[in-house]
mmCIF file of all heavy atoms in Angstrom:
data_model
loop_
_atom_site.group_PDB
_atom_site.id
_atom_site.type_symbol
_atom_site.label_atom_id
_atom_site.label_comp_id
_atom_site.label_asym_id
_atom_site.label_seq_id
_atom_site.Cartn_x
_atom_site.Cartn_y
_atom_site.Cartn_z
ATOM 1 N N ARG L 30 13.857 3.439 -9.325
ATOM 2 C CA ARG L 30 14.025 4.435 -8.278
ATOM 3 C C ARG L 30 14.100 3.787 -6.887
ATOM 4 O O ARG L 30 14.535 4.471 -5.948
ATOM 5 C CB ARG L 30 12.852 5.422 -8.321
ATOM 6 C CG ARG L 30 12.850 6.309 -9.552
ATOM 7 C CD ARG L 30 11.733 7.294 -9.458
ATOM 8 N NE ARG L 30 10.428 6.779 -9.730
ATOM 9 C CZ ARG L 30 9.380 6.945 -8.900
ATOM 10 N NH1 ARG L 30 9.476 7.646 -7.849
ATOM 11 N NH2 ARG L 30 8.207 6.393 -9.200
ATOM 12 N N PHE L 31 13.691 2.527 -6.740
ATOM 13 C CA PHE L 31 13.699 1.918 -5.462
ATOM 14 C C PHE L 31 14.484 0.610 -5.411
ATOM 15 O O PHE L 31 14.285 -0.247 -6.310
ATOM 16 C CB PHE L 31 12.257 1.630 -4.991
ATOM 17 C CG PHE L 31 11.507 2.824 -4.586
ATOM 18 C CD1 PHE L 31 10.852 3.640 -5.517
ATOM 19 C CD2 PHE L 31 11.436 3.204 -3.243
ATOM 20 C CE1 PHE L 31 10.180 4.779 -5.105
ATOM 21 C CE2 PHE L 31 10.774 4.323 -2.846
ATOM 22 C CZ PHE L 31 10.130 5.152 -3.793
ATOM 23 N N ASP L 32 15.333 0.491 -4.436
ATOM 24 C CA ASP L 32 15.936 -0.777 -4.058
ATOM 25 C C ASP L 32 14.916 -1.495 -3.173
ATOM 26 O O ASP L 32 14.526 -0.959 -2.131
ATOM 27 C CB ASP L 32 17.253 -0.601 -3.327
ATOM 28 C CG ASP L 32 18.431 -0.380 -4.268
ATOM 29 O OD1 ASP L 32 18.373 -0.888 -5.398
ATOM 30 O OD2 ASP L 32 19.364 0.391 -3.912
ATOM 31 N N VAL L 33 14.540 -2.686 -3.570
ATOM 32 C CA VAL L 33 13.474 -3.438 -2.862
ATOM 33 C C VAL L 33 14.072 -4.588 -2.071
ATOM 34 O O VAL L 33 14.803 -5.357 -2.615
ATOM 35 C CB VAL L 33 12.435 -3.907 -3.833
ATOM 36 C CG1 VAL L 33 11.407 -4.783 -3.076
ATOM 37 C CG2 VAL L 33 11.704 -2.734 -4.515
ATOM 38 N N GLU L 34 13.748 -4.621 -0.791
ATOM 39 C CA GLU L 34 14.162 -5.780 0.048
ATOM 40 C C GLU L 34 12.857 -6.461 0.603
ATOM 41 O O GLU L 34 11.962 -5.740 1.016
ATOM 42 C CB GLU L 34 15.008 -5.315 1.197
ATOM 43 C CG GLU L 34 15.558 -6.474 2.023
ATOM 44 C CD GLU L 34 16.279 -6.010 3.284
ATOM 45 O OE1 GLU L 34 16.186 -4.823 3.641
ATOM 46 O OE2 GLU L 34 16.932 -6.890 3.950
ATOM 47 N N VAL L 35 12.827 -7.750 0.550
ATOM 48 C CA VAL L 35 11.696 -8.471 1.065
ATOM 49 C C VAL L 35 12.090 -9.235 2.293
ATOM 50 O O VAL L 35 13.066 -10.020 2.316
ATOM 51 C CB VAL L 35 11.091 -9.484 0.001
ATOM 52 C CG1 VAL L 35 10.000 -10.339 0.601
ATOM 53 C CG2 VAL L 35 10.623 -8.718 -1.216
ATOM 54 N N VAL L 36 11.392 -8.991 3.425
ATOM 55 C CA VAL L 36 11.781 -9.593 4.717
ATOM 56 C C VAL L 36 10.631 -10.433 5.222
ATOM 57 O O VAL L 36 9.525 -9.908 5.471
ATOM 58 C CB VAL L 36 12.130 -8.495 5.781
ATOM 59 C CG1 VAL L 36 12.419 -9.159 7.096
ATOM 60 C CG2 VAL L 36 13.301 -7.626 5.281
ATOM 61 N N HIS L 37 10.872 -11.732 5.374
ATOM 62 C CA HIS L 37 9.849 -12.665 5.933
ATOM 63 C C HIS L 37 10.092 -12.711 7.447
ATOM 64 O O HIS L 37 11.030 -13.338 7.902
ATOM 65 C CB HIS L 37 10.061 -14.019 5.283
ATOM 66 C CG HIS L 37 8.930 -15.019 5.612
ATOM 67 N ND1 HIS L 37 8.379 -15.130 6.846
ATOM 68 C CD2 HIS L 37 8.292 -15.874 4.830
ATOM 69 C CE1 HIS L 37 7.397 -16.046 6.807
ATOM 70 N NE2 HIS L 37 7.404 -16.524 5.594
ATOM 71 N N LEU L 38 9.196 -12.050 8.196
ATOM 72 C CA LEU L 38 9.343 -11.964 9.630
ATOM 73 C C LEU L 38 9.034 -13.294 10.318
ATOM 74 O O LEU L 38 9.446 -13.427 11.487
ATOM 75 C CB LEU L 38 8.472 -10.850 10.178
ATOM 76 C CG LEU L 38 8.871 -9.451 9.798
ATOM 77 C CD1 LEU L 38 7.847 -8.458 10.359
ATOM 78 C CD2 LEU L 38 10.248 -9.086 10.311
ATOM 79 N N GLY L 39 8.445 -14.209 9.651
ATOM 80 C CA GLY L 39 8.222 -15.531 10.244
ATOM 81 C C GLY L 39 9.527 -16.317 10.302
ATOM 82 O O GLY L 39 9.713 -17.131 11.259
ATOM 83 N N THR L 40 10.425 -16.101 9.351
ATOM 84 C CA THR L 40 11.664 -16.788 9.383
ATOM 85 C C THR L 40 12.863 -15.975 9.840
ATOM 86 O O THR L 40 13.771 -16.454 10.529
ATOM 87 C CB THR L 40 12.008 -17.345 7.927
ATOM 88 O OG1 THR L 40 11.951 -16.253 6.997
ATOM 89 C CG2 THR L 40 10.986 -18.410 7.495
ATOM 90 N N ALA L 41 12.804 -14.644 9.550
ATOM 91 C CA ALA L 41 13.859 -13.762 9.992
ATOM 92 C C ALA L 41 13.427 -13.104 11.279
ATOM 93 O O ALA L 41 13.193 -11.905 11.359
ATOM 94 C CB ALA L 41 14.132 -12.703 8.918
ATOM 95 N N LYS L 42 13.352 -13.905 12.346
ATOM 96 C CA LYS L 42 12.864 -13.396 13.631
ATOM 97 C C LYS L 42 13.753 -12.251 14.163
ATOM 98 O O LYS L 42 13.272 -11.388 14.872
ATOM 99 C CB LYS L 42 12.947 -14.551 14.653
ATOM 100 C CG LYS L 42 11.911 -15.694 14.362
ATOM 101 C CD LYS L 42 10.531 -15.267 14.807
ATOM 102 C CE LYS L 42 9.556 -16.484 14.674
ATOM 103 N NZ LYS L 42 8.170 -16.060 14.853
ATOM 104 N N GLY L 43 15.003 -12.210 13.740
ATOM 105 C CA GLY L 43 15.878 -11.184 14.188
ATOM 106 C C GLY L 43 15.560 -9.806 13.650
ATOM 107 O O GLY L 43 16.071 -8.799 14.087
ATOM 108 N N ARG L 44 14.640 -9.771 12.676
ATOM 109 C CA ARG L 44 14.240 -8.498 12.074
ATOM 110 C C ARG L 44 12.953 -7.929 12.683
ATOM 111 O O ARG L 44 12.550 -6.819 12.319
ATOM 112 C CB ARG L 44 14.026 -8.642 10.559
ATOM 113 C CG ARG L 44 15.285 -9.246 9.820
ATOM 114 C CD ARG L 44 16.404 -8.280 9.629
ATOM 115 N NE ARG L 44 16.094 -7.081 8.841
ATOM 116 C CZ ARG L 44 16.251 -6.978 7.540
ATOM 117 N NH1 ARG L 44 16.721 -7.991 6.876
ATOM 118 N NH2 ARG L 44 15.956 -5.867 6.918
ATOM 119 N N VAL L 45 12.314 -8.714 13.531
ATOM 120 C CA VAL L 45 11.027 -8.265 14.115
ATOM 121 C C VAL L 45 11.189 -6.979 14.917
ATOM 122 O O VAL L 45 10.406 -6.041 14.796
ATOM 123 C CB VAL L 45 10.397 -9.393 14.982
ATOM 124 C CG1 VAL L 45 9.158 -8.856 15.717
ATOM 125 C CG2 VAL L 45 10.005 -10.576 14.153
ATOM 126 N N SER L 46 12.262 -6.920 15.734
ATOM 127 C CA SER L 46 12.429 -5.716 16.561
ATOM 128 C C SER L 46 12.706 -4.496 15.692
ATOM 129 O O SER L 46 12.290 -3.354 15.970
ATOM 130 C CB SER L 46 13.594 -5.897 17.556
ATOM 131 O OG SER L 46 14.779 -6.114 16.891
ATOM 132 N N GLU L 47 13.449 -4.673 14.566
ATOM 133 C CA GLU L 47 13.697 -3.598 13.624
ATOM 134 C C GLU L 47 12.377 -3.096 13.072
ATOM 135 O O GLU L 47 12.113 -1.904 13.004
ATOM 136 C CB GLU L 47 14.601 -4.123 12.509
ATOM 137 C CG GLU L 47 14.552 -3.308 11.233
ATOM 138 C CD GLU L 47 14.956 -4.124 10.013
ATOM 139 O OE1 GLU L 47 15.987 -4.879 10.118
ATOM 140 O OE2 GLU L 47 14.314 -4.068 8.974
ATOM 141 N N ALA L 48 11.521 -4.043 12.679
ATOM 142 C CA ALA L 48 10.224 -3.666 12.106
ATOM 143 C C ALA L 48 9.392 -2.925 13.147
ATOM 144 O O ALA L 48 8.746 -1.917 12.830
ATOM 145 C CB ALA L 48 9.457 -4.882 11.641
ATOM 146 N N GLU L 49 9.430 -3.403 14.357
ATOM 147 C CA GLU L 49 8.699 -2.784 15.490
ATOM 148 C C GLU L 49 9.134 -1.335 15.673
ATOM 149 O O GLU L 49 8.326 -0.424 15.836
ATOM 150 C CB GLU L 49 8.885 -3.623 16.722
ATOM 151 C CG GLU L 49 7.894 -3.333 17.794
ATOM 152 C CD GLU L 49 7.910 -4.407 18.909
ATOM 153 O OE1 GLU L 49 8.972 -4.985 19.110
ATOM 154 O OE2 GLU L 49 6.867 -4.651 19.487
ATOM 155 N N LYS L 50 10.435 -1.120 15.659
ATOM 156 C CA LYS L 50 10.989 0.214 15.850
ATOM 157 C C LYS L 50 10.544 1.160 14.755
ATOM 158 O O LYS L 50 10.334 2.352 14.966
ATOM 159 C CB LYS L 50 12.513 0.155 15.915
ATOM 160 C CG LYS L 50 13.064 -0.157 17.331
ATOM 161 C CD LYS L 50 14.558 -0.235 17.322
ATOM 162 C CE LYS L 50 15.074 -1.077 18.513
ATOM 163 N NZ LYS L 50 16.368 -1.708 18.240
ATOM 164 N N LEU L 51 10.426 0.594 13.530
ATOM 165 C CA LEU L 51 9.973 1.443 12.401
ATOM 166 C C LEU L 51 8.540 1.849 12.571
ATOM 167 O O LEU L 51 8.111 2.856 11.988
ATOM 168 C CB LEU L 51 10.154 0.664 11.115
ATOM 169 C CG LEU L 51 11.483 0.760 10.395
ATOM 170 C CD1 LEU L 51 11.439 -0.135 9.131
ATOM 171 C CD2 LEU L 51 11.801 2.182 9.962
ATOM 172 N N GLY L 52 7.780 1.016 13.324
ATOM 173 C CA GLY L 52 6.355 1.354 13.483
ATOM 174 C C GLY L 52 5.432 0.306 12.825
ATOM 175 O O GLY L 52 4.243 0.532 12.732
ATOM 176 N N VAL L 53 6.002 -0.785 12.389
ATOM 177 C CA VAL L 53 5.210 -1.847 11.797
ATOM 178 C C VAL L 53 4.307 -2.474 12.866
ATOM 179 O O VAL L 53 4.820 -2.968 13.866
ATOM 180 C CB VAL L 53 6.088 -2.923 11.109
ATOM 181 C CG1 VAL L 53 5.218 -4.092 10.653
ATOM 182 C CG2 VAL L 53 6.875 -2.311 9.984
ATOM 183 N N LYS L 54 3.036 -2.496 12.663
ATOM 184 C CA LYS L 54 2.083 -3.068 13.616
ATOM 185 C C LYS L 54 1.574 -4.407 13.141
ATOM 186 O O LYS L 54 1.098 -5.246 13.933
ATOM 187 C CB LYS L 54 0.884 -2.118 13.852
ATOM 188 C CG LYS L 54 1.274 -0.733 14.262
ATOM 189 C CD LYS L 54 1.754 -0.653 15.695
ATOM 190 C CE LYS L 54 1.956 0.790 16.140
ATOM 191 N NZ LYS L 54 2.809 0.853 17.358
ATOM 192 N N SER L 55 1.508 -4.551 11.795
ATOM 193 C CA SER L 55 1.001 -5.780 11.228
ATOM 194 C C SER L 55 1.639 -5.967 9.877
ATOM 195 O O SER L 55 2.295 -5.098 9.338
ATOM 196 C CB SER L 55 -0.549 -5.678 11.041
ATOM 197 O OG SER L 55 -0.858 -4.581 10.182
ATOM 198 N N VAL L 56 1.513 -7.192 9.353
ATOM 199 C CA VAL L 56 2.010 -7.490 8.018
ATOM 200 C C VAL L 56 0.812 -7.815 7.082
ATOM 201 O O VAL L 56 -0.223 -8.270 7.617
ATOM 202 C CB VAL L 56 2.980 -8.679 8.022
ATOM 203 C CG1 VAL L 56 4.294 -8.295 8.679
ATOM 204 C CG2 VAL L 56 2.375 -9.918 8.682
ATOM 205 N N PRO L 57 0.929 -7.555 5.830
ATOM 206 C CA PRO L 57 2.068 -7.002 5.129
ATOM 207 C C PRO L 57 2.190 -5.499 5.381
ATOM 208 O O PRO L 57 1.206 -4.787 5.534
ATOM 209 C CB PRO L 57 1.735 -7.261 3.670
ATOM 210 C CG PRO L 57 0.259 -7.262 3.566
ATOM 211 C CD PRO L 57 -0.225 -7.901 4.865
ATOM 212 N N ALA L 58 3.423 -5.056 5.414
ATOM 213 C CA ALA L 58 3.738 -3.640 5.529
ATOM 214 C C ALA L 58 4.877 -3.241 4.638
ATOM 215 O O ALA L 58 5.804 -4.050 4.388
ATOM 216 C CB ALA L 58 4.108 -3.315 6.977
ATOM 217 N N LEU L 59 4.769 -2.049 4.091
ATOM 218 C CA LEU L 59 5.784 -1.578 3.164
ATOM 219 C C LEU L 59 6.415 -0.305 3.731
ATOM 220 O O LEU L 59 5.707 0.635 4.064
ATOM 221 C CB LEU L 59 5.125 -1.225 1.801
ATOM 222 C CG LEU L 59 6.008 -0.646 0.708
ATOM 223 C CD1 LEU L 59 7.054 -1.641 0.269
ATOM 224 C CD2 LEU L 59 5.142 -0.226 -0.461
ATOM 225 N N ALA L 60 7.708 -0.337 3.934
ATOM 226 C CA ALA L 60 8.423 0.829 4.484
ATOM 227 C C ALA L 60 9.141 1.493 3.318
ATOM 228 O O ALA L 60 10.001 0.893 2.642
ATOM 229 C CB ALA L 60 9.409 0.432 5.533
ATOM 230 N N LEU L 61 8.737 2.742 3.048
ATOM 231 C CA LEU L 61 9.385 3.499 1.997
ATOM 232 C C LEU L 61 10.232 4.568 2.611
ATOM 233 O O LEU L 61 9.708 5.487 3.230
ATOM 234 C CB LEU L 61 8.304 4.123 1.050
ATOM 235 C CG LEU L 61 7.454 3.135 0.283
ATOM 236 C CD1 LEU L 61 6.334 3.912 -0.511
ATOM 237 C CD2 LEU L 61 8.278 2.301 -0.677
ATOM 238 N N ASN L 62 11.533 4.446 2.466
ATOM 239 C CA ASN L 62 12.487 5.331 3.124
ATOM 240 C C ASN L 62 12.122 5.466 4.585
ATOM 241 O O ASN L 62 12.162 6.613 5.164
ATOM 242 C CB ASN L 62 12.499 6.702 2.451
ATOM 243 C CG ASN L 62 13.077 6.637 1.017
ATOM 244 O OD1 ASN L 62 13.938 5.843 0.742
ATOM 245 N ND2 ASN L 62 12.526 7.436 0.143
ATOM 246 N N GLY L 63 11.761 4.383 5.215
ATOM 247 C CA GLY L 63 11.509 4.368 6.631
ATOM 248 C C GLY L 63 10.111 4.705 7.046
ATOM 249 O O GLY L 63 9.742 4.562 8.245
ATOM 250 N N GLN L 64 9.260 5.139 6.147
ATOM 251 C CA GLN L 64 7.874 5.448 6.432
ATOM 252 C C GLN L 64 7.023 4.192 6.189
ATOM 253 O O GLN L 64 7.054 3.591 5.131
ATOM 254 C CB GLN L 64 7.393 6.625 5.513
ATOM 255 C CG GLN L 64 6.151 7.263 6.066
ATOM 256 C CD GLN L 64 5.732 8.458 5.207
ATOM 257 O OE1 GLN L 64 6.370 8.798 4.213
ATOM 258 N NE2 GLN L 64 4.682 9.120 5.604
ATOM 259 N N VAL L 65 6.270 3.833 7.210
ATOM 260 C CA VAL L 65 5.535 2.579 7.182
ATOM 261 C C VAL L 65 4.147 2.681 6.634
ATOM 262 O O VAL L 65 3.340 3.563 7.126
ATOM 263 C CB VAL L 65 5.513 1.914 8.563
ATOM 264 C CG1 VAL L 65 4.703 0.616 8.522
ATOM 265 C CG2 VAL L 65 6.908 1.588 9.022
ATOM 266 N N PHE L 66 3.797 1.832 5.691
ATOM 267 C CA PHE L 66 2.408 1.767 5.198
ATOM 268 C C PHE L 66 1.917 0.313 5.355
ATOM 269 O O PHE L 66 2.507 -0.598 4.778
ATOM 270 C CB PHE L 66 2.406 2.187 3.688
ATOM 271 C CG PHE L 66 2.797 3.614 3.509
ATOM 272 C CD1 PHE L 66 4.131 3.913 3.177
ATOM 273 C CD2 PHE L 66 1.894 4.667 3.654
ATOM 274 C CE1 PHE L 66 4.519 5.220 3.083
ATOM 275 C CE2 PHE L 66 2.322 5.964 3.553
ATOM 276 C CZ PHE L 66 3.612 6.249 3.252
ATOM 277 N N HIS L 67 0.863 0.169 6.142
ATOM 278 C CA HIS L 67 0.259 -1.139 6.339
ATOM 279 C C HIS L 67 -0.690 -1.373 5.187
ATOM 280 O O HIS L 67 -1.543 -0.517 4.873
ATOM 281 C CB HIS L 67 -0.507 -1.217 7.680
ATOM 282 C CG HIS L 67 0.438 -0.920 8.844
ATOM 283 N ND1 HIS L 67 0.647 0.320 9.368
ATOM 284 C CD2 HIS L 67 1.209 -1.777 9.531
ATOM 285 C CE1 HIS L 67 1.514 0.208 10.370
ATOM 286 N NE2 HIS L 67 1.909 -1.042 10.514
ATOM 287 N N ILE L 68 -0.583 -2.525 4.552
ATOM 288 C CA ILE L 68 -1.383 -2.801 3.380
ATOM 289 C C ILE L 68 -2.359 -3.922 3.701
ATOM 290 O O ILE L 68 -1.951 -5.054 3.945
ATOM 291 C CB ILE L 68 -0.472 -3.239 2.188
ATOM 292 C CG1 ILE L 68 0.541 -2.108 1.887
ATOM 293 C CG2 ILE L 68 -1.317 -3.557 0.953
ATOM 294 C CD1 ILE L 68 1.615 -2.547 0.908
ATOM 295 N N ASN L 69 -3.629 -3.633 3.789
ATOM 296 C CA ASN L 69 -4.631 -4.519 4.272
ATOM 297 C C ASN L 69 -4.155 -5.149 5.574
ATOM 298 O O ASN L 69 -3.339 -4.554 6.256
ATOM 299 C CB ASN L 69 -4.929 -5.642 3.162
ATOM 300 C CG ASN L 69 -5.682 -5.043 1.977
ATOM 301 O OD1 ASN L 69 -6.263 -3.969 2.084
ATOM 302 N ND2 ASN L 69 -5.654 -5.760 0.863
#
Side-chain angles (χ1 to χ4, degrees):
Chain L
R30 292 185 286 128
F31 284 85
D32 276 329
V33 173
E34 184 187 12
V35 175
V36 178
H37 190 318
L38 291 176
T40 54
K42 293 283 188 190
R44 305 286 298 268
V45 173
S46 64
E47 160 203 315
E49 196 166 31
K50 274 178 204 153
L51 271 178
V53 174
K54 306 289 188 195
S55 61
V56 289
L59 178 64
L61 296 175
N62 293 326
Q64 196 176 2
V65 176
F66 298 94
H67 300 92
I68 303 170
N69 290 342

